[in-house]
Amino acid sequence: MNDAPTSEDPGADLLKEFEALLVQFEQAARDGDLDEFRRLDHVLRSKALAVIGGMPDMNPTDDRYIDALRDAVARLGTAAGEIQQERKLLKARREADQRIRLAYSRK
């Protein structure tokens, strides 16, 4: 049984969890931790579906779900760009290493 306190607004709790996952996702991208990035990507997709699933229960004037998802999409794009940049740098390092090894193997 979970004894953790929750607010009276489950939607707010869900958005807080979503935000915490986004922060972890962004950190994994900055660290170049591809395994953690992939794991959190899967968790975030599931959490995003839960947020979207909660949308029908919100008030028509409640924009926090839409704002949270809009912000998440922008942040996910930035994090994915960071991972892409990390992969390019890794590829360049591997190619440079391979050229050096080839140069030394010829002597």
Side-chain angles (χ1 to χ4, degrees):
M1 184 169 164
N2 187 357
D3 294 331
T6 59
S7 71
E8 293 190 19
D9 182 1
D13 292 338
L14 187 60
L15 290 176
K16 284 180 187 175
E17 291 173 24
F18 192 65
E19 173 64 26
L21 284 169
L22 273 171
V23 169
Q24 293 173 20
F25 184 79
E26 290 169 323
Q27 186 61 49
R30 281 191 295 275
D31 294 345
D33 186 346
L34 295 178
D35 291 333
E36 184 68 357
F37 181 84
R38 287 185 193 107
R39 184 189 75 77
L40 288 167
D41 177 61
H42 176 73
V43 174
L44 274 169
R45 289 171 193 263
S46 297
K47 191 64 69 175
L49 289 174
V51 169
I52 291 168
M55 286 178 153
D57 296 333
M58 71 180 179
N59 296 327
T61 59
D62 190 354
D63 290 334
R64 62 194 166 136
Y65 291 98
I66 295 168
D67 291 343
L69 289 172
R70 185 181 302 125
D71 180 51
V73 168
R75 291 166 66 182
L76 291 171
T78 300
E82 290 174 4
I83 286 292
Q84 183 66 24
Q85 187 64 29
E86 181 70 24
R87 292 177 86 188
K88 285 181 183 178
L89 290 172
L90 181 60
K91 182 179 177 186
R93 278 184 255 157
R94 284 181 182 160
E95 289 172 353
D97 186 49
Q98 185 177 18
R99 283 192 300 270
I100 290 170
R101 278 195 239 143
L102 285 173
Y104 280 110
S105 69
R106 291 180 187 163
K107 292 183 178 190

